[in-house]
Amino acid sequence: MGRIIFISGASSGFGKAIAEKFAESGDNVIITGRRKDRLEKLKKDIESRTQSKALVLAFDIQNRKSVFEAVASLPPEWRDIDVLVNNAGLAAGRDHFHDADMEDWEKMIDTNIKGLLYLSKAVTPIMLARKSGHIINIGSTAAKEVYEKGNVYCATKSAVDSISQSMRIDMLQHGIKVSTVHPGAAETEFSMVRLKGDQAKAKAVYEGFKPLSAEDVAQVVYFCTTLPSHVCINDLVITATAQANSFYFHRI
Ligand code: NDP
Ligand code: 8X3
């Protein structure tokens, strides 16, 4: 029987590819995000070409009440969540600290840190009661090395890194795995969102090298869930072969 996988931010990019990968492998997926139309389309697609089921929950992860209501609304057959993928997130703006827009900072903090906390807090009681579960948090190479104009985005991903480490310690006695997957540059809607729709600037981010695809990241996230119950990948950094870390790229 398929597992139940709860994925935040499944309307595009990594989350969508993660939902597809798990569904293609026989798992049932709870797909979430704000853009309901996209999620409904993904559900239709998954259910028409795989044996798996998809459940759509549309909510803004920045809103604590909406997050808890969404999890509380799960029908009984969808409640036994095996894997939670905390993926929803964004970068807003790429500016020096003194030029940055504080609305952007708050959006990133509210989504990348507080949203991840709300959702994890809403889902962990289910895992604790079952004494099993796997939480996979999507960090970033930005958590590992901060870069110019990355200030608050890097800080939110460092927070994801720290939260994951402490979650892992606190979940130890309950048999719940906590993994953090830190991708490097990947071509999704990420840069269009960060650069506020500036297509030329977004395209330039990936010029001269082959970046990761959403499917590459999905494959790695899926792999983390295929290991025996006594084995946990704690922290995993994945980059394109042409990227060594936040700073070094081989562009041709
Ligand atoms: P996308 O912009 O393609 O996808 C982001 C997803 O997050 C969307 O599904 C979006 O859904 C969801 N999301 C954003 N804000 C909210 C919100 N307030 N409430 C609910 N859902 C929200 O980007 P990626 O797939 O690239 O990014 C996914 C994660 O990976 C992010 O955490 C990002 O920081 C991280 N990351 C990305 C990298 C990259 O280079 N692409 C590298 C390393 C990490 P909707 O808009 O419908 O709400
Ligand atoms: C996204 C990758 O390099 O823009 O987390 O920080 S980067």
Side-chain angles (χ1 to χ4, degrees), residues 137 159-169 178-180 234:
N137 295 327
V160 170
D161 203 3
S162 300
I163 291 164
S164 306
Q165 290 178 48
S166 63
M167 268 184 178
R168 189 174 307 117
I169 297 166
V178 180
S179 303
T180 322
N234 293 344

Side-chain angles (χ1 to χ4, degrees), residues 10 30 33 37 41-42 46 52 65-66 84 91 98 104 111 123 127 138 155 183 192 197 202 210 231 249:
I30 301 168
D37 52 334
K41 189 167 174 290
L42 178 61
I46 283 174
S52 301
K65 190 164 170 274
S66 305
L84 166 64
H98 41 281
D104 285 346
T111 311
V123 169
M127 293 183 170
I138 303 298
M192 279 294 277
K210 185 172 181 181
V231 182
F249 289 81

Side-chain angles (χ1 to χ4, degrees), residues 91 94 139-143 147 153-154 157 183-186 190-191 194 205-206 243 246 249:
R94 189 163 178 155
S140 169
T141 43
Y147 50 82
Y153 178 67
C154 296
K157 290 300 179 176
F190 177 84
S191 289
R194 177 175 222 172
V205 173
Y206 311 105
Q243 179 180 7
S246 284
F249 289 81

